[in-house]
Amino acid sequence: MLGKVSRRWLSITLNHPVKPPFIPLVSENGFPGAIGQTPLLKLPRISESVGRNIYAKAEFMNPGGSIKDRAALYIINDAEQKGLIKPGGTIVEGTAGNTGIGLAHVCRAKGYNCVIYMPNTQSKSKIETLRLLGAEVYPVPAVAFTDPQNYNHQAKRHAESLENAVWTNQFDNIANRQAHIETTGPEIWAQLDGKVDAFTCSTGTGGTFAGTSRYLKTISNGKVKAVLADPPGSVLYSYIKSNGKDIVRGGSSFTEGIGQGRVTDNLKPDLDIIDDAIRIADEDSIAMVYRLLDEEGLYLGGTGALNVVAAIKVAETLPEGSNVVTILADSAHKYADRIFSKEWLKTKGLYDAIPDHLKKYATLD
């Protein structure tokens, strides 16, 4: 019996030879080595609707489920290389969720403790996920960065109160930006064989947008257009459109982890390469969540949906056939109890923004 099974599989192998560009990914060090090298997905129906090619990096396929796995790994590696953390130490961060989840995964893999401070406005499932990963979680009131009780400042003070601990400071730690200069940007360039006309995505820390844009701008000799996408309530749109003269505050968004009330150290080095900024309304983002599910089979959170809306708007300014790349930051799993809840959508004034034929996906009460 074993001989027959062996011959059968041998026959299948010979009839279906493995040919390049198949590259088997084997991580010898577990979770950390599996971060990155995510697929770049063309969105066929959306691309056809605009006559341009919309490509999106499937960052929800990172082992921790989001683009923030990249920053988490680079930030911890940087702390190790600088001798800031020793075995058995504690990593402390202030985060809206995904960076914390990435850090918690990497901490478990490397043997560190993990402490997370986050705004208590974030989804319950993010908090639960962090605790399931062994992190010590402190949900605190959401207040402005200028307030001493802002979750970032509380995280810093917590780290300073411990021995052998590091506040990873994702917003201003440029190891975050470096992760995307060394991985995300090169991957996109290689995946499209250098045929990249524009890149756009939203920003939280600024690391993804700044690092990826810097790499693509540099390798293309400035030819790749870099456009920042911003949700309501963020100041970056006004800052960039006014060439740094205005900071317009006010407003809010249902999206989590993006938008900013200041210019972070991750974004500052690349302000000069930003070609434009666009503001995306919540109504457009929520409608795209449902459209991506229905048309492309993609179950995404609000950030990824906002990024696709931005990519379409950028594509419409370019010649037909152009290639525009964006980021699918994470899946909808952590937000499903909100964005697919008819009741929640109505309280936010977003239910009517969803096309009638797509409201069938709002299945939660």
Side-chain angles (χ1 to χ4, degrees), residues 291-309:
R291 185 179 172 190
L292 286 164
L293 180 58
D294 186 70
E295 296 182 25
E296 305 290 358
L298 291 169
Y299 184 64
L300 302 172
T303 298
L306 181 150
N307 289 345
V308 172
V309 174

Side-chain angles (χ1 to χ4, degrees), residues 208-225:
T208 299
F209 176 75
T212 305
S213 295
R214 172 58 67 181
Y215 179 86
L216 294 174
K217 278 282 190 182
T218 301
I219 198 169
S220 70
N221 293 316
K223 293 179 182 178
V224 175
K225 188 175 183 180

Side-chain angles (χ1 to χ4, degrees), residues 81-103:
Q81 291 161 9
K82 292 177 178 175
L84 302 177
I85 190 81
K86 298 178 178 62
T90 302
I91 297 293
V92 187
E93 182 55 284
T95 167
N98 279 332
T99 301
I101 291 169
L103 286 170

